[in-house]
Amino acid sequence: MSNNSDRRDFLKVLIGGTGAAFLALHGCGDSTSEIKKITGPNHETILKRQRFSAAHQYLRDKSIDGIARNSEVIQCDVVIIGAGASGLVAALTLQDAGYDVVLLENESQIGGAGIHGSIHDIKYPYGSVYFVDYSDDIKSICARTGLQPLIAPEDAVLHKGQLIGNFWSDVSIQSLDLSQIEKDGMKRFRDVLLNDQMIPSYPLPRVLSQYESELDAQSAKEYLSQFSSPYLETLLDLYSRSSMGGTLQESNAYCLLNFYSAEIGSEFGKDRFTFPGGMNALYKAIASLIPQEKVMTNHLAFTVNNTKEGVEVSCVNDANEIQTVRAKKAIMTGQKHVSAFMIHDVPNAQRSAMMSMQYPPYATMHVTYGEELFPNNIMDVWTPEASPFCTDIICSNAMQGTKKKYDHYLYSIFGAMPQHQRSLLLDDQAMAKYGVDIVSKTMKYLGKSLDEISQIEVFGWGHALAIPFPGSHNGPAQLASARHGNIYFGASDNDAASSVENALANGFASGREVIQSLN
């Protein structure tokens, strides 16, 4: 759909030596505003975000007065709402079983949190970067499409100006200028991560064991207190905010142990996998196996109702018309709190569980730099001394699968924003200022000049991650994702935790569950 407010998705900012003048594309924005804190040469900055105006109009405000209705009704076996990782693999699973599937996607492109950008032949991720479980399902897709993942380069920690790789080895931990008590605590935590019996699993069980329940009820911060290492907590708070959407206090120990157990490095047999620019290559490969006409982008579904024959979905298309889709079954792969607005007859208890799910505002800042900041064998640099403005920096050049020398380097700063800053996502001026300010502080922290920046791109995510808050895994997540009549749920937040593995596992599972119900 094209309208004035959605045109605000593309905003240019020119940063001058005395400030920043905002120049919006398509005639939108305030061309007289300035940011006086930024100094340096002229840079081009692009602001992008997820589409939100249609969702606010049709879902939040329920305003459909005067909107034309398309008389054509689309018929299919299964309608899937959302063409991110979950929706795509659910569609492929059903298609392979012989069912007619239609995917509805609000955005203009498929991939959900796995979309990417490209500049100077360097692909860089806006969101999802890598995966850790090279499952049989992923191997099958790669074999069918000729796709070959890369073993992801290692991470490093920037500690007092020194870049420390292989961070969780005894040698690296011992090299830190910390007390021996802290070092011993970090080693004990690492050893917990290496004990498979201590690591809870996803997808979430319908009923948790006593041990799993205890981990879910504890905040990650409370759990880590037993290791007597403030530095460990500082470092993992960065990870929690970047990868889990909330601080250690806001996240549970269950998710921290599961997620971080895959992060300690290849020395411990913990390989990770990626593609140039992150996960988009895999999602495009899946989409290539689905007929293009079955994937309807720029279509916002806003009501999903059970009927005697199956389900009926109302969506608004890119011509600003309301369109009806009828199917035997529906799979919803968007955020649960949005589903609560879409399904009018969902039971009150399930609606409350859906609304209890928490999603932080999130921003990624992508910087084109004229020189190499970090060695080309490092994918992600964690910056404990730069908190709270910088959690980690993704080095996209290291993800290209080639060792060639580049003329430009792409670095991405990832991080969840505090909940009270959500309104920034709706304000071009404020969001651009926020992103550029983060970049400026990060470059100052690194001791690098803004003069080498040729472009900054700020991407705003409205609801990218589900925060695994304490208590979320023991009832709320299971109830929120329970089948409702002919409506099934397949998103990563079925687990109240967001990762590639969560998204893919729940997408495959929901597709197979629907197949079983149709047989």
Side-chain angles (χ1 to χ4, degrees), residues 8 19 82 181-182 269 293 325 364 490 514:
R8 297 164 76 84
I181 291 176
E182 283 211 66
E293 66 272 14
V325 181
T364 55
V514 168

CSV table of all heavy atoms in Angstrom, one decimal, residues 8 19 82 181-182 269 293 325 364 490 514:
chain,number,residue,atom,x,y,z
A,8,ARG,N,7.2,8.0,4.6
A,8,ARG,CA,8.2,8.4,5.6
A,8,ARG,C,9.2,7.3,5.9
A,8,ARG,O,10.1,7.5,6.7
A,8,ARG,CB,7.5,8.8,6.9
A,8,ARG,CG,6.6,10.0,6.7
A,8,ARG,CD,5.6,10.2,7.8
A,8,ARG,NE,6.2,10.7,9.0
A,8,ARG,CZ,6.4,12.0,9.2
A,8,ARG,NH1,6.1,12.9,8.3
A,8,ARG,NH2,6.9,12.4,10.3
A,19,GLY,N,25.8,21.1,11.9
A,19,GLY,CA,24.5,20.4,12.3
A,19,GLY,C,24.0,19.5,11.2
A,19,GLY,O,24.8,19.1,10.4
A,82,GLY,N,2.1,-13.7,7.3
A,82,GLY,CA,3.4,-13.4,7.6
A,82,GLY,C,4.4,-14.3,6.8
A,82,GLY,O,4.3,-15.5,6.8
A,181,ILE,N,38.5,-14.1,41.8
A,181,ILE,CA,37.2,-14.5,42.1
A,181,ILE,C,36.3,-14.3,40.8
A,181,ILE,O,35.5,-15.2,40.5
A,181,ILE,CB,36.6,-13.7,43.3
A,181,ILE,CG1,37.3,-14.1,44.5
A,181,ILE,CG2,35.1,-13.9,43.4
A,181,ILE,CD1,36.9,-13.2,45.7
A,182,GLU,N,36.4,-13.2,40.2
A,182,GLU,CA,35.6,-13.0,38.9
A,182,GLU,C,36.0,-13.9,37.8
A,182,GLU,O,35.2,-14.5,37.1
A,182,GLU,CB,35.8,-11.5,38.4
A,182,GLU,CG,35.0,-10.5,39.2
A,182,GLU,CD,34.6,-9.3,38.4
A,182,GLU,OE1,33.8,-9.5,37.4
A,182,GLU,OE2,35.1,-8.2,38.6
A,269,GLY,N,33.4,-26.6,20.1
A,269,GLY,CA,32.5,-27.3,19.2
A,269,GLY,C,31.2,-26.6,19.0
A,269,GLY,O,30.2,-27.2,18.6
A,293,GLU,N,3.2,-16.0,-7.3
A,293,GLU,CA,1.8,-15.5,-7.2
A,293,GLU,C,1.2,-15.9,-5.9
A,293,GLU,O,0.1,-15.3,-5.5
A,293,GLU,CB,1.0,-15.9,-8.4
A,293,GLU,CG,0.7,-17.4,-8.5
A,293,GLU,CD,1.7,-18.2,-9.2
A,293,GLU,OE1,2.8,-17.6,-9.5
A,293,GLU,OE2,1.5,-19.4,-9.6
A,325,VAL,N,-9.9,-13.5,1.9
A,325,VAL,CA,-9.3,-14.8,1.6
A,325,VAL,C,-10.0,-15.9,2.5
A,325,VAL,O,-10.2,-15.7,3.7
A,325,VAL,CB,-7.8,-14.8,2.0
A,325,VAL,CG1,-7.2,-16.2,1.7
A,325,VAL,CG2,-7.1,-13.7,1.3
A,364,THR,N,18.8,-0.8,14.3
A,364,THR,CA,20.2,-1.2,13.9
A,364,THR,C,20.7,-0.1,13.0
A,364,THR,O,20.0,0.5,12.2
A,364,THR,CB,20.1,-2.5,13.1
A,364,THR,OG1,19.2,-2.4,12.0
A,364,THR,CG2,19.7,-3.7,13.9
A,490,GLY,N,2.5,-20.2,14.4
A,490,GLY,CA,3.8,-20.8,14.1
A,490,GLY,C,5.0,-19.9,14.2
A,490,GLY,O,6.0,-20.1,13.6
A,514,VAL,N,-1.0,-28.8,10.7
A,514,VAL,CA,-2.1,-28.5,9.8
A,514,VAL,C,-2.3,-29.7,8.8
A,514,VAL,O,-3.4,-30.1,8.6
A,514,VAL,CB,-1.9,-27.2,9.1
A,514,VAL,CG1,-2.9,-27.1,7.9
A,514,VAL,CG2,-2.1,-26.0,10.0
